[in-house]
Amino acid sequence: MAKIQMTTPLVEMDGDEMTRILWGMIKEELINPYVDLKTEYYDLGLKHRNETDDQVTIDSANATNKYGVAVKCATITPNAARVKEYDLKEMWKSPNGTIRSILDGTVFRAPILVKGIVPYVANWKKPITIARHAYGDVYKNVEIKVPGAGKAELVYTAEDGSEIRETIHQFKGPGIIQGIHNTEDSIRSFAQACFKYAVDTKQDLWFSTKDTISKKYDHTFKDIFQEIYDNEYAGKFKELGIEYFYTLIDDAVARVIRSEGGFIWACKNYDGDVMSDMVATAYGDLSMMTSVLVSPKGVYEYEAAHGTVQRHYYKHLKGEETSTNSIATIFAWTGALRKRGEIDGIKELCAFADRLEKACIKTVEDGKMTKSLSLISTCSEPVILNSLDFIRAIRATFDELGE
Ligand code: NAP
Ligand code: MG
């Protein structure tokens, strides 16, 4: 069979540890035999990031802006232990943070559902995609531990020297205060990415804040979303039969639990942090969560939501067998290849991505899975496979599906 041809390269961001091993296996077993893969390769492995003073991360993000679609392997975010382990020149910043700020993107996380892995919330039938605003609020706060009685004020000084001043609290004794901020630009980018992704995936978009209590701060989020929806997306949503729905965060939580799923839930930074962990856990497993970074211009970077699976990598280095789940990383590839196919009008590439995803799901539903999946699956006699054999089983299913 002739391999599928591509016209525009994918930006390929290689990564670290166990996921780097899986990366190679996925390409060799599942992509290269079927697709004449065209990529512009960037090695974001920590060793190479260190050698290039992290320039490779910046270059890969710029390439993503240029070509429009990237696929990324999980990467190590260095901490003190990693600085020692890799003899780093510096404690380099999180690659995801660097890429996100260059693309000005929003991260959308969604679970991959398979029969036999039942969400804790019984009525969830379809994935819930969480979009988390990744700038500001409590993550860029300024805090003071108030030592004793005194007045706390909020002061804004304009460039011309004029002031806006509000009393926060007249303290009678010790306490605490916190200053947080966000910018209109960042909220607009977030809103644009959310509406674009809803149109792209033809799903309803929910957005929630606490605007009844936070009448200026949260209300601004609500107003910006509404304005962008009314001016740019209302017609498109109507055409697609999808809905934009705003509600209070506490009401949203209640509705999400009662829902069937099948929508995007846009959250402010803190809400997204908390809710994405809740939703991921309720759906079963971090190794079954996909993640895509979408820029307000409509540039896409696909990856798995999990990390580099360090513990498995050390086993692998010792020559021990591993049973690491590659599904979320495979879905990063299929997401990117499908998007490339859509943009370039290559139907075969989209069909390939669809079939490979089906093969992943069917393999697990047929009872062949990795260790971690077997622990949460209702399958009575699962066949537990090692990392490579699992990928090979997916390949066998893929080939069967084609016949
Ligand atoms: P992790 O790599 O997600 O792994 C945590 C644990 O979850 C693993 O030890 C494993 O549990 C389980 N797990 C995760 N993915 C799995 C998979 N595909 N198959 C089977 N089990 C899986 O998180 P971490 O250990 O906290 O972080 C390791 C490194 O990843 C860190 O250096 C961190 O900076 C980086 N990281 C990168 C990204 C990213 O690039 N997007 C995201 C998060 C973390 P068991 O050990 O019990 O089997
Ligand atoms: Mg968190």
Side-chain angles (χ1 to χ4, degrees):
M1 217 183 72
K3 287 191 194 183
I4 299 163
Q5 296 297 311
M6 296 175 65
T7 49
T8 317
L10 265 183
V11 176
E12 176 183 354
M13 305 170 177
D14 207 343
D16 287 299
E17 299 195 311
M18 198 59 212
T19 42
R20 190 182 178 102
I21 307 290
L22 298 178
W23 197 258
M25 293 177 183
I26 291 167
K27 282 174 67 179
E28 190 177 322
E29 296 285 334
L30 299 175
I31 317 266
N32 285 334
Y34 308 97
V35 179
D36 195 4
L37 188 62
K38 250 197 179 140
T39 73
E40 196 164 291
Y41 179 85
Y42 293 87
D43 183 1
L44 266 54
L46 186 50
K47 184 167 173 284
H48 193 238
R49 272 183 276 151
N50 191 52
E51 285 161 4
T52 63
D53 294 338
D54 210 22
Q55 185 61 38
V56 65
T57 308
I58 294 163
D59 292 345
S60 72
N62 289 334
T64 306
N65 259 331
K66 178 177 163 194
Y67 291 112
V69 188
V71 57
K72 180 179 170 291
C73 180
T75 46
I76 292 169
T77 297
N79 55 16
R82 300 298 200 164
V83 171
K84 230 170 137 189
E85 182 184 355
Y86 284 82
D87 191 20
L88 300 180
K89 298 182 215 168
E90 257 182 57
M91 198 186 289
W92 305 110
K93 283 193 250 166
S94 144
N96 285 31
T98 301
I99 295 165
R100 194 167 60 214
S101 74
I102 292 173
L103 299 185
D104 187 20
T106 296
V107 172
F108 296 81
R109 278 178 156 206
I112 300 157
L113 302 194
V114 298
K115 289 192 198 91
I117 297 173
V118 186
Y120 287 101
V121 182
N123 44 288
W124 285 0
K125 303 271 185 291
K126 298 178 212 161
I128 295 170
T129 302
I130 298 249
R132 173 181 170 189
H133 184 211
Y135 177 81
D137 303 350
V138 72
Y139 302 86
K140 286 239 185 285
N141 66 0
V142 179
E143 302 182 315
I144 298 174
K145 205 160 159 54
V146 175
K151 184 158 108 175
E153 290 181 292
L154 200 57
V155 184
Y156 159 77
T157 312
E159 281 179 343
D160 69 4
S162 62
E163 279 184 0
I164 305 174
R165 188 177 286 266
E166 292 281 348
T167 300
I168 297 170
H169 191 64
Q170 187 76 51
F171 283 92
K172 295 196 176 73
I176 39 180
I177 53 176
Q178 176 181 64
I180 60 171
H181 79 278
N182 223 299
T183 68
E184 268 209 36
D185 276 352
S186 176
I187 301 167
R188 282 183 189 282
S189 293
F190 174 49
Q192 284 289 356
C194 291
F195 287 119
K196 278 218 167 60
Y197 197 65
V199 167
D200 203 44
T201 59
K202 300 182 187 58
Q203 296 184 87
D204 290 348
L205 175 67
W206 295 19
F207 181 45
S208 53
T209 73
K210 194 72 182 174
D211 66 284
T212 47
I213 299 298
S214 172
K215 290 188 165 58
K216 293 206 172 87
Y217 199 102
D218 278 19
H219 216 292
T220 299
F221 278 82
K222 178 184 177 182
D223 291 344
I224 288 174
F225 266 71
Q226 193 62 49
E227 176 209 309
I228 291 177
Y229 175 71
D230 291 341
N231 293 341
E232 299 180 45
Y233 291 93
K236 191 83 201 156
F237 269 52
K238 212 169 191 173
E239 218 174 273
L240 292 172
I242 57 174
E243 198 189 336
Y244 169 59
F245 172 58
Y246 176 85
T247 189
L248 287 167
I249 178 74
D250 38 353
D251 181 50
V253 168
R255 285 173 188 265
V256 163
I257 294 296
R258 286 196 306 263
S259 79
E260 276 205 340
F263 53 88
I264 300 162
W265 182 14
C267 293
K268 285 179 61 198
N269 209 349
Y270 174 81
D271 299 340
D273 186 355
V274 176
M275 292 306 158
S276 63
D277 280 11
M278 185 198 71
V279 169
T281 306
Y283 274 109
D285 197 302
L286 192 62
S287 68
M288 294 292 275
M289 286 294 275
T290 63
S291 180
V292 53
L293 180 76
V294 181
S295 87
K297 287 188 303 191
V299 162
Y300 294 76
E301 181 236 293
Y302 293 84
E303 66 172 329
H306 60 77
T308 60
V309 212
Q310 181 183 18
R311 209 181 61 81
H312 296 210
Y313 180 59
Y314 287 139
K315 278 178 74 177
H316 171 83
L317 287 182
K318 279 193 265 170
E320 290 172 32
E321 191 166 79
T322 59
S323 180
T324 315
N325 182 0
S326 47
I327 286 189
T329 305
I330 297 171
F331 270 63
W333 276 99
T334 53
L337 289 169
R338 183 187 296 106
K339 178 53 76 183
R340 199 63 272 164
E342 282 168 17
I343 296 173
D344 296 340
I346 307 170
K347 282 201 201 84
E348 302 78 13
L349 204 52
C350 300
F352 169 80
D354 291 345
R355 185 170 139 200
L356 185 50
E357 288 182 0
K358 256 191 215 136
C360 290
I361 292 168
K362 188 169 185 305
T363 303
V364 177
E365 291 181 349
D366 287 349
K368 287 169 236 156
M369 59 192 82
T370 52
K371 179 92 189 301
S372 62
L373 284 178
S374 75
L375 298 176
I376 54 168
S377 169
T378 56
C379 177
S380 53
E381 280 174 21
V383 179
I384 298 170
L385 300 173
N386 67 34
S387 304
L388 181 59
D389 286 346
F390 182 57
I391 288 172
R392 290 193 170 141
I394 291 169
R395 182 171 176 178
T397 314
F398 178 89
D399 289 339
E400 273 168 35
L401 282 174
E403 282 160 11

